[in-house]
Amino acid sequence: AQKITQTQPGMFVQEKEAVTLDCTYDTSDQSYGLFWYKQPSSGEMIFLIYQGSYDEQNATEGRYSLNFQKARKSANLVISASQLGDSAMYFCAMRVTMDSNYQLIWGAGTKLIIKP
Amino acid sequence: DGGITQSPKYLFRKEGQNVTLSCEQNLNHDAMYWYRQDPGQGLRLIYYSQIVNDFQKGDIAEGYSVSREKKESFPLTVTSAQKNPTAFYLCASSTGRYNEQFFGPGTRLTVL
C-alpha cells in the first residue's frame, strides 16, 4: 500500500530554534517524489521543497531542508532558525504513478506553533 | 500574474441543492485536481484531469462531478447525492518537472 505517515499531530517550538517535522512513507514504486507543503490559517497550500527518489543529495530551499533517508523511508523537513510566521500546518506528500498518471498521496499533517 | 483562482471563497448551500465551485488557472498547466479537506485532516483526491475533455475519479468521487472543456477551467459540482459536503475544497494544477502542484486559495462550503 502507498502511504504517508506524519506521527506528530502538533509541535510547539521556541522562536529561532530549529525544528524537525517527521514524515515516513511506503511505496513499491522505484521512482517517486516527496514534497512538503505549508498551509497557513488562510488555507492556501504553499509548496516548500521537493526530493526525488534518485536524488543523491538532500534538497535545500533557504531555511528549509529535507533529511532524506531512503533506507528508512523517511523524508523529514528541517526548518532552521524558526520564525513566528512559520506557525502553520505542514503536510508531507508523495508523488506516485497510478494508472499511468501522477498523483499525490498526502499525510495527515503536523500543526507547528512557534512561541515568541 | 499567473496563478489559480477559486470562487467563491465561502459558499452556503441548502440540503438538496447542487452547487458548482469554480477553478481557473492561467499557468498553462495540463493537469488539474480537486481535493477535499476536512478539519484536522489531510487532502483527499476527488477528481483529476490530465488533458482537456478527459478526467478520472479520485478516492472520493461519489456525489461529485466535474468537466474539463477548456484547459484553463476545471469546475466541480457538489451534487445533492453527496451526503456530507461541508468541507474545504482546494483546486490545484501541476507542471511537468517535479509534478509539484500549485494550489488555489480554496472554497469553504457549508451546508445549512
Side-chain angles (χ1 to χ4, degrees):
Chain A
Q2 315 216 67
K3 189 178 179 181
I4 289 281
T5 302
Q6 294 181 253
T7 57
Q8 307 153 308
M11 289 186 70
F12 287 91
V13 172
Q14 199 69 37
E15 189 181 8
K16 300 181 183 176
E17 289 184 351
V19 56
T20 298
L21 304 180
D22 295 340
C23 173
T24 58
Y25 61 91
D26 190 14
T27 181
S28 54
D29 287 4
Q30 295 300 307
S31 175
Y32 53 90
L34 295 152
F35 300 83
W36 278 92
Y37 284 82
K38 173 183 179 181
Q39 187 179 40
S41 57
S42 60
E44 187 168 354
M45 299 289 281
I46 302 167
F47 166 67
L48 295 178
I49 196 167
Y50 169 82
Q51 179 87 39
S53 56
Y54 293 118
D55 295 340
E56 294 185 353
Q57 292 201 342
N58 286 343
T60 60
E61 289 287 348
R63 293 187 300 112
Y64 304 109
S65 61
L66 203 153
N67 183 3
F68 183 47
Q69 298 189 40
K70 198 169 182 177
R72 294 186 175 185
K73 293 191 172 181
S74 75
N76 298 338
L77 177 70
V78 179
I79 305 174
S80 63
S82 58
Q83 302 170 357
L84 296 178
D86 294 332
S87 295
M89 285 290 292
Y90 288 81
F91 291 93
C92 180
M94 176 173 63
R95 186 199 66 226
V96 298
T97 304
M98 287 185 175
D99 300 326
S100 302
N101 294 316
Y102 286 140
Q103 288 188 30
L104 291 186
I105 308 293
W106 294 83
T110 296
K111 184 169 186 175
L112 176 65
I113 297 175
I114 307 299
K115 299 181 293 183
Chain B
D1 282 357
I4 302 175
T5 58
Q6 290 185 244
S7 60
K9 187 172 182 178
Y10 298 96
L11 186 58
F12 298 90
R13 188 195 96 172
K14 293 181 180 179
E15 284 193 25
Q17 286 181 337
N18 292 354
V19 289
T20 297
L21 283 58
S22 169
C23 177
E24 304 276 334
Q25 55 102 356
N26 60 5
L27 300 168
N28 200 33
H29 289 171
D30 287 315
M32 297 186 74
Y33 308 81
W34 273 105
Y35 291 95
R36 169 179 173 143
Q37 186 179 29
D38 292 287
Q41 298 188 26
L43 277 62
R44 292 187 289 168
L45 183 64
I46 305 172
Y47 269 97
Y48 64 101
S49 168
Q50 297 289 336
I51 56 173
V52 174
N53 292 323
D54 188 43
F55 47 83
Q56 287 79 39
K57 293 181 179 180
D59 300 321
I60 57 166
E62 185 175 351
Y64 300 96
S65 66
V66 293
S67 63
R68 187 88 187 275
E69 297 177 0
K70 299 186 300 181
K71 188 175 184 177
E72 302 79 19
S73 178
F74 191 40
L76 173 75
T77 297
V78 184
T79 74
S80 57
Q82 170 50 237
K83 295 305 177 190
N84 185 20
T86 294
F88 187 54
Y89 291 87
L90 284 159
C91 177
S93 68
S94 67
T95 184
R97 188 179 176 196
Y98 302 141
N99 197 241
E100 68 267 35
Q101 294 183 10
F102 297 89
F103 285 81
T107 292
R108 197 167 297 277
L109 173 63
T110 302
V111 173
L112 303 173

